Amino acid sequence: MEDKDIILAMKDHPDKGFRLLMAKYGEPVYWHIRRLVVVHMDAQDAAQETFVRVFRSFHTFDGGRSLAAWIYRIATHEALRVMGRGRVEELSLESEGTAVERLMAADYVDYSDLETVRLQKAILSLPAKQQIAFNLRYYDELGYGEIADIMGSTASAAKANYHIAKGKIIQYMNTHE
């Protein structure tokens, strides 16, 4: 399904259009948020609020920009809102605790793969802007222009955040073997 078809359906038949939008973006947006907030319940809440906002404010969508970038921007703001709310506990994968147990029980990361665990810990150690830029580029394979649109910055700033994040991740991986 092409975004232009979803946009037309949202304008002509909002219920049908929203079902199409959810079919295409529901899972990717959830995982984008989940990589930032980590805890499933928080990610689920933020994803649900994202799509409520998308539906309610679709009339403000500027057809000249990317639908994906617009949705991801709303999702990123929701993820940051949840992160700032303080509901997400500080996680340490070495410590015992309910948040870590929920994280490890939730099929988010394959904890038998130590490289994957180290990568996840490295990403979580980054500042929010670098986490967002890295996740959008590495996992969602978005271009710097779309990342910039999502983050409300420039393509060069998005590229810089990604490359700084990548460097910090490589450094983290090399020093935490």
Side-chain angles (χ1 to χ4, degrees):
M1 173 72 41
E2 296 290 321
D3 284 354
K4 63 181 177 161
D5 298 323
I6 294 171
I7 293 166
L8 286 173
M10 284 290 291
K11 289 179 179 177
D12 295 339
H13 307 285
D15 291 340
K16 179 185 176 194
F18 190 70
R19 282 193 300 275
L20 295 172
L21 185 134
M22 287 299 297
K24 182 171 183 178
Y25 289 105
E27 190 172 334
V29 165
Y30 166 81
W31 283 108
H32 167 65
I33 293 169
R34 177 77 185 268
R35 285 189 288 272
L36 295 170
V37 303
V38 180
V39 178
H40 166 71
M41 295 291 284
D42 289 335
Q44 200 171 34
D45 290 347
Q48 186 174 26
E49 184 60 30
T50 294
F51 287 107
V52 167
R53 288 178 182 238
V54 165
F55 187 78
R56 287 183 179 161
S57 62
F58 195 80
H59 66 281
T60 67
F61 172 68
D62 173 12
R65 53 193 302 213
S66 160
L67 178 63
W70 184 69
I71 293 170
Y72 274 84
R73 185 177 182 134
I74 294 168
T76 301
H77 285 289
E78 281 304 311
L80 291 172
R81 184 186 58 76
V82 169
M83 292 166 69
R85 184 172 67 203
R87 194 167 147 214
V88 177
E89 301 169 37
E90 189 65 35
L91 298 178
S92 167
L93 297 178
E94 287 84 21
S95 69
E96 297 296 320
T98 58
V100 173
E101 290 164 8
R102 283 196 318 263
L103 174 61
M104 294 181 111
D107 292 340
Y108 174 55
V109 173
D110 176 5
Y111 287 92
S112 64
D113 181 352
L114 296 179
E115 284 295 304
T116 303
V117 171
R118 283 190 18 239
L119 175 61
Q120 186 59 34
K121 289 170 71 175
I123 293 168
L124 291 173
S125 73
L126 297 171
K129 280 187 178 183
Q130 292 169 14
Q131 260 188 55
I132 294 165
F134 183 82
N135 286 337
L136 290 169
R137 181 77 175 159
Y138 183 78
Y139 291 110
D140 298 309
E141 299 176 352
L142 297 179
Y144 295 116
E146 284 183 296
I147 295 169
D149 194 17
I150 292 164
M151 295 178 68
S153 68
T154 64
S156 57
K159 188 174 187 177
N161 275 311
Y162 171 76
H163 286 289
I164 291 168
K166 189 170 82 170
K168 287 180 178 179
I169 289 169
I170 290 168
Q171 181 181 14
Y172 184 98
M173 299 291 280
N174 288 336
T175 59
H176 293 85
E177 293 188 59

